[in-house]
Amino acid sequence: MADERGVEAVEQWFRRRGLPAVVRGRPAHLLVRIAPAVVFIAGWRVLTAVLSAVDGETDADFDRLMENDLFALGYSGLLLGLVVVPGLGSWLTARWVRRKLVERGGTVPAAVMAAVFVVVVPVVDQVVDGDAAVLGLITQLAILAGLFAAAFVGVGSIVGWALRAAYRQARLLGELTSRALPLLLLFTVFGFFTTEIWQVGAALPRQRMWLVAGLLAVVAVVFLLAMLKDEVTRLTQSRTAPVGLDKLRETPLAAFLTDEVPAERLPLTKLERANMVLVLVLTQVLQTFVLATLVFVFFVVFGIVAVQHAVIKAWIGRDPAGGTLFGIQLPVPQELLQVSLFIAAFSGLYFAAATVTDAKYRNAFFDPLADHLAVSLVARDLYLGRLLGVPPHAAEHRAEH
């Protein structure tokens, strides 16, 4: 049996890898753990409220305001801030949280962040956008309660790992675009210039288009679930111990390593198996989201350059409407956003299927995740067998429930 601090360090390592179900200890410091999510949501809410307040009441007001170069520059800066500030603030807060979890501190600053989130954000909404502060306060409390519940069951650990994995694979962005985008563009560019897709995009309200994109996303997730459940089963039945041990030398488990790994693989519980499948699925979903976002941005920019308003009018039979995205006015025709959204959703479905079936995509985007899980399985055997002293028959009993 290991000392308490050694076990705690190992358990924190598992949480960092998105596997809270492996940990036998109860999660602590929940207020500190939710701080990154609090910062992200607060930054997003404040910036969207400001954008909604300055964009005018109608499309004509927005077009008139955008004719002013100074306003256009400031509005573009706010849009850029909406993309960058919440994510950057959340990332910096997550770095602070990791340090405070080791030091077992940070409760007071985290409590201040939560108080600002609950009280200040509704006040900003009321001042900037005219929303009722009391209703906003109730909404913020409900969101905070949901974040606590998610942190308690380990959702934050899983999402955090998936986000970090997607960020680390940003180095594959060139490979992603060079392998995935050209073939997609070969088919989608021709579809982009068909009258029918523009007519469908113009006829569908945004809510209905989100339903179409959501349906394609559901199909992709169901496919990934079916494929990745088999991958987890294959990994749990394999013995990748030598590779796994080599990669554990610089982890909190290094002090408990010997020349040999446990002879038996302790059976996974249903919760652990679901956790591992969810880690793979969520990471694949985030990779797919990055690809779909790239496709969406490409076609929006391509449409601005290549498709004039007069052409859009000839295709849809009326003047194009002003574009909005998540309630934010954009200097882009609504129909272009609709068509780009549909093509991006379809491209995401294609990419999700290709990453686990096509050998080239799999080698670049899926195999690193499988290696991560293989190492985690070896670490789990060591954690349960050597640190906690869980006998195989006890693990088998837990696996049945």
Side-chain angles (χ1 to χ4, degrees):
M1 297 291 289
D3 64 277
E4 182 181 348
R5 292 189 66 86
V7 172
E8 184 176 352
V10 172
E11 291 176 346
Q12 181 60 27
W13 181 80
F14 276 113
R15 290 191 178 100
R16 284 271 301 158
R17 292 176 73 85
L19 299 172
V22 172
V23 175
R24 298 300 184 255
R26 179 172 296 182
H29 310 293
L30 295 182
L31 187 60
V32 178
R33 292 179 186 277
I34 67 172
V38 167
V39 170
F40 181 89
I41 298 173
W44 181 273
R45 289 282 300 276
V46 170
L47 286 171
T48 52
V50 173
L51 283 166
S52 298
V54 303
D55 63 5
E57 296 183 358
T58 65
D59 292 345
D61 292 336
F62 180 71
D63 292 338
R64 177 177 52 80
L65 290 169
M66 288 297 291
E67 292 175 358
N68 185 302
D69 293 339
L70 186 60
F71 177 86
L73 180 63
Y75 195 83
S76 300
L78 284 173
L79 288 175
L80 180 62
L82 183 63
V83 175
V84 174
V85 171
L88 179 61
S90 180
W91 176 71
L92 292 173
T93 307
R95 290 172 60 90
W96 172 82
V97 166
R98 289 197 297 272
R99 187 175 70 252
K100 290 302 179 182
L101 286 176
V102 173
E103 300 171 356
R104 299 185 179 184
T107 302
V108 173
V112 172
M113 293 181 200
V116 170
F117 177 74
V118 171
V119 177
V120 175
V121 172
V123 172
V124 172
D125 282 343
Q126 184 179 32
V127 172
V128 174
D129 217 16
D131 295 337
V134 175
L135 181 60
L137 180 65
I138 295 173
T139 301
Q140 297 299 94
L141 286 172
I143 294 174
L144 194 64
L147 292 176
F148 270 110
F152 183 80
V153 300
V155 172
S157 298
I158 298 172
V159 174
W161 156 256
L163 288 171
R164 289 191 297 273
Y167 175 76
R168 282 192 294 269
Q169 288 189 314
R171 60 186 175 81
L172 296 174
L173 192 61
E175 190 170 3
L176 177 87
T177 54
S178 64
R179 287 190 177 186
L181 283 182
L183 184 60
L184 283 173
L185 296 180
L186 180 65
F187 295 102
T188 53
V189 166
F190 291 105
F192 181 78
F193 286 106
T194 60
T195 303
E196 290 78 12
I197 193 172
W198 285 86
Q199 291 174 341
V200 170
L204 285 179
R206 177 58 55 80
Q207 294 84 353
R208 187 69 64 85
M209 182 59 74
W210 281 124
L211 286 176
V212 172
L215 177 62
L216 295 175
V218 167
V219 172
V221 170
V222 169
F223 175 81
L224 287 174
L225 278 172
M227 296 294 294
L228 296 179
K229 283 174 64 177
D230 295 337
E231 292 290 342
V232 170
T233 299
R234 182 183 63 81
L235 286 169
T236 55
Q237 293 173 349
S238 66
R239 301 296 293 174
T240 56
V243 176
L245 281 178
D246 183 62
K247 293 184 178 181
L248 292 175
R249 298 294 179 187
E250 299 180 359
T251 72
L253 281 156
F256 310 103
L257 293 176
T258 60
D259 293 335
E260 297 181 358
V261 296
E264 299 180 64
R265 167 142 293 161
L266 302 178
L268 271 67
T269 66
K270 293 180 179 179
L271 187 59
E272 287 172 331
R273 187 177 296 276
N275 188 172
M276 292 179 182
V277 173
L278 183 58
V279 164
L280 291 179
V281 170
L282 188 56
T283 307
Q284 291 291 94
V285 166
L286 287 174
Q287 289 179 352
T288 301
F289 177 76
V290 171
L291 185 280
T293 302
L294 287 173
V295 173
F296 175 79
V297 172
F298 171 82
F299 277 105
V300 169
V301 175
F302 182 67
I304 292 173
V305 174
V307 183
Q308 300 296 321
H309 283 213
V311 177
I312 299 177
K313 181 178 180 180
W315 281 341
I316 65 175
R318 58 173 173 78
D319 288 322
T324 61
L325 192 63
F326 303 115
I328 300 170
Q329 290 271 13
L330 297 175
V332 179
Q334 181 80 338
E335 294 75 17
L336 174 58
L337 293 176
Q338 294 278 88
V339 171
S340 301
L341 181 61
F342 175 78
I343 293 176
F346 176 79
S347 301
L349 175 61
Y350 167 83
F351 180 71
T355 51
V356 291
T357 57
D358 186 276
K360 294 183 297 183
Y361 288 88
R362 183 185 176 91
N363 180 62
F365 304 113
F366 178 75
D367 286 350
L369 303 178
D371 292 341
H372 156 81
L373 196 56
V375 173
S376 299
L377 286 167
V378 175
R380 172 188 173 273
D381 292 341
L382 293 170
Y383 165 69
L384 294 179
R386 293 183 183 164
L387 275 70
L388 301 187
V390 177
H393 63 81
E396 291 173 4
H397 177 73
R398 289 178 58 88
E400 295 173 357
H401 295 85

